[in-house]
Amino acid sequence: MPLDAAILERATAQEVIDWAIRTYGRKLAFTTSFQSEGMVVIDMAARRSSDIRVLTLDTGRLPEETYRMIETVRSRYSIAVECVAPDAVEVERMTTLHGPNLFYDSVAKRRLCCEIRKVRPLERRLAAFDAWVTGLRRGQGATRESLAKVDQSNGRPKISPLADWSKDQVEDYTRRHDVPRHPLYESGYTSIGCEPCTRATDISEHERAGRWWWEEDAAKECGLHFNAGGKMERTIDVLLREVTGAARA
Ligand code: SF4
């Protein structure tokens, strides 16, 4: 089926997922960190096919509760979860040069850690796929406001079936379909990532305020879905070259 982004933009989340499975089959990667949005997408996809491929980034710094979610998803849906790990040599070199908790030193070093533990491993793994699916929503912050349901700007289509969903819609679907919930939501977390970089939020805070909470003005993004641009990218390139010998692609 030809990709018509304008038609897909008007389609429901389930219709977008159905189209993606039909179009890409096992060349479609469902990427998730097991937050509620990603779990809704997995639930919708698993209802249509038992042959979906689910990828998660095992950064090496995940909370124990996320590993429990991997086990939950495996048993609930009878699907494998492909754990994508960073390059061990790159991690070794980065932590030797800058320490294991470099992310607290500066935004640039935090972005370097995300680049080594998330962005580069995912790029390497996605090279074997024709398209990928995320659980992103436009309402999650300014950097996601213009998110398309199907974004073809970087070659490989990035599909976000929940782009126009609200947080309440996600919660409602989760309740109605008894979708497994990440245990950290019960502890006041509203967005969940690596253990040292995520904290619970209070009711007055934005849902992503607990991510890299010590950073004042930086975008609450790891680089998977966003480039800071300009000076920041050049700074990261310098740090990255020290670790890998190569700049960003
Ligand atoms: Fe590193 Fe934190 Fe990014 Fe995880 S979220 S990759 S620990 S900086």
Side-chain angles (χ1 to χ4, degrees):
M1 180 183 291
L3 195 163
D4 189 327
I7 291 174
L8 289 166
E9 196 57 50
R10 296 191 295 274
T12 66
Q14 186 72 66
E15 288 169 344
V16 172
I17 288 170
D18 292 352
W19 164 82
I21 291 173
R22 278 198 311 274
T23 304
Y24 299 107
R26 285 186 58 78
K27 286 286 196 176
L28 178 68
F30 287 88
T31 58
T32 181
S33 56
F34 308 103
Q35 299 184 73
S36 289
E37 287 82 358
M39 289 304 304
V40 166
V41 170
I42 289 174
D43 189 85
M44 286 182 166
R47 287 168 188 277
R48 291 299 192 262
S49 171
S50 58
D51 201 26
I52 58 172
R53 293 186 65 183
V54 175
L55 269 55
T56 195
L57 285 164
D58 184 356
T59 63
R61 302 300 299 259
L62 298 179
E64 172 57 27
E65 290 85 348
T66 298
Y67 294 109
R68 294 204 325 249
M69 280 300 287
I70 296 175
E71 298 290 1
T72 301
V73 167
R74 284 168 55 87
S75 61
R76 163 75 177 258
Y77 298 104
S78 298
I79 53 177
V81 174
E82 300 178 40
C83 295
V84 180
D87 181 276
V89 173
E90 290 181 1
V91 171
E92 275 181 24
R93 186 149 174 77
M94 175 180 73
T95 54
T96 301
L97 278 170
H98 300 293
N101 291 344
L102 69 164
F103 30 79
Y104 296 135
D105 291 350
S106 67
V107 175
K109 286 187 184 176
R110 189 273 286 177
R111 293 281 313 279
L112 172 69
C113 185
C114 287
E115 192 79 19
I116 295 293
R117 293 185 185 274
K118 293 182 172 180
V119 178
R120 287 167 66 86
L122 186 63
E123 282 174 356
R124 281 193 291 267
R125 183 59 64 93
L126 286 182
F129 291 86
D130 290 341
W132 58 306
V133 184
T134 80
L136 300 183
R137 290 187 294 106
R138 291 176 192 136
Q140 286 170 322
T143 56
R144 300 182 181 183
E145 272 172 2
S146 56
L147 178 73
K149 286 191 183 174
V150 181
D151 175 8
Q152 300 176 80
S153 59
N154 284 316
R156 182 181 300 102
K158 173 176 155 185
I159 301 162
S160 302
L162 307 186
D164 57 355
W165 278 38
S166 66
K167 192 174 167 59
D168 285 347
Q169 281 177 286
V170 174
E171 292 297 322
D172 182 56
Y173 183 100
T174 300
R175 262 193 310 275
R176 280 191 292 112
H177 297 279
D178 191 28
V179 177
R181 286 190 97 233
H182 197 295
L184 285 179
Y185 287 121
E186 296 306 310
S187 303
Y189 287 67
T190 46
S191 180
I192 300 160
C194 290
E195 188 276 334
C197 300
T198 313
R199 63 156 170 76
T201 53
D202 67 42
I203 197 125
S204 66
E205 290 182 301
H206 187 275
E207 65 181 273
R208 284 179 65 80
R211 306 293 288 275
W212 310 290
W213 71 92
W214 62 91
E215 293 178 358
E216 295 279 318
D217 300 320
K220 301 285 186 184
E221 297 285 357
C222 58
L224 289 174
H225 309 292
F226 173 76
N227 278 337
K231 189 174 172 203
M232 175 59 71
E233 296 311 302
R234 286 194 293 280
T235 308
I236 291 168
D237 276 350
V238 171
L239 292 169
L240 196 57
R241 241 181 247 116
E242 288 176 348
V243 172
T244 68
R248 290 155 58 94

